[in-house]
Amino acid sequence: MVTLADCQRTQHAWFRALAEATGGRAFSTHRMDWVWLPETREMLCMFPQEITDAGLQPALAEAERRGATAVGIWMNAAVREGILPAYRFERGWQPWWMTRALDVESVVAASEVSDGRVELTCLADDQVWLATARDEENWAGRSYGFLPPNQLGGKHLAGIFDMVVDPDHRRTGLGTALLNALSEAAFNAGAEHLLLNATPDGQRLYRNRGFELIGKGQTWWFHPPQ
């Protein structure tokens, strides 16, 4: 069984891996865990159990020093925002946590519907994959798959992250093709379940591909003046 805690741990592990791969860093401030993503210039706090001045102030100072364009807090829906509005954070989008089991039948069925517009690249053996979609020579979309090592309880959960399809190429099957390519790669690497966070609009695609909603989260955002 995949839990909300599993989803949160996998999301956190993905951002830590992304920070490490792009020259960022992960750090903690008074029970608040942060990642700095230099490519997007985002400072993100991952699922704090409590939000305090002692946890926020050093991270906000670090975000200002690094020229962050956004500071985000990913939260469990049960955690209250507390002092966030006083620090000019505003409520943002709500992640819909969705999961599905991987089995031979579903993966084989998906692989039989191949789509030549999608190319799969392995970025780290049996851990990270990038699926890229092109229409002829033009970029049309991409998504990442991530199977974290050393998961709690011996679970084998892979995450699908940063799914983007160019607006001009939506409703052409590219989202499904990206998902199929990453599902097959994760299954072949030993994943037993997939998990992801969806927007209210995006969840329709995932429901059609067998994903089920197991809960919702919340994000809060502060955009420093530039």
Side-chain angles (χ1 to χ4, degrees):
M1 176 181 177
V2 181
T3 67
L4 284 177
D6 292 326
C7 294
Q8 293 173 178
R9 278 193 296 268
T10 305
Q11 182 78 51
H12 192 176
W14 166 245
F15 279 136
R16 285 199 307 267
L18 191 59
E20 181 179 348
T22 58
R25 64 182 293 245
F27 62 98
S28 298
T29 60
H30 195 71
R31 299 179 64 188
M32 297 180 74
D33 295 322
W34 299 85
V35 290
W36 164 245
L37 303 177
E39 288 196 339
T40 56
R41 296 171 62 196
E42 292 179 309
M43 186 76 77
L44 303 177
C45 179
M46 305 308 299
F47 308 106
Q49 293 302 305
E50 63 175 333
I51 299 167
T52 64
D53 295 292
L56 275 176
Q57 289 174 1
L60 289 174
E62 179 74 357
E64 181 179 7
R65 186 180 73 81
R66 292 180 177 271
T69 59
V71 181
I73 315 285
W74 286 64
M75 293 171 58
N76 185 301
V79 176
R80 301 298 296 269
E81 68 270 18
I83 59 176
L84 286 178
Y87 280 87
R88 296 182 290 169
F89 280 82
E90 297 180 348
R91 188 182 296 270
W93 69 287
Q94 189 174 43
W96 289 36
W97 298 107
M98 306 185 76
T99 70
R100 61 160 290 189
L102 286 174
D103 55 47
V104 173
E105 268 188 38
S106 63
V107 171
V108 168
S111 67
E112 290 176 347
V113 187
S114 60
D115 193 316
R117 296 173 296 174
V118 172
E119 177 183 357
L120 187 72
T121 303
C122 181
L123 302 180
D125 289 346
D126 292 335
Q127 286 190 31
V128 185
W129 304 270
L130 168 63
T132 306
R134 296 186 184 278
D135 183 9
E136 296 181 352
E137 296 301 318
N138 299 316
W139 183 92
R142 62 105 172 93
S143 185
Y144 292 90
F146 176 54
L147 179 60
N150 306 319
Q151 298 184 50
L152 290 178
K155 293 187 176 181
H156 303 282
L157 315 174
I160 303 295
F161 298 109
D162 299 334
M163 172 81 77
V164 178
V165 176
D166 183 81
D168 292 337
H169 294 86
R170 291 175 185 169
R171 303 187 186 280
T172 65
L174 276 183
T176 296
L178 291 167
L179 189 58
N180 285 346
L182 293 171
S183 298
E184 183 178 3
F187 179 78
N188 290 338
E192 298 172 350
H193 286 81
L194 289 180
L195 56 87
L196 52 82
N197 63 80
T199 63
D201 288 335
Q203 58 88 21
R204 295 184 183 91
L205 164 68
Y206 303 119
R207 282 189 186 279
N208 291 336
R209 299 303 305 160
F211 283 82
E212 296 182 355
L213 177 69
I214 64 169
K216 299 179 182 180
Q218 184 60 60
T219 62
W220 285 77
W221 296 90
F222 167 62
H223 297 278
Q226 299 299 305

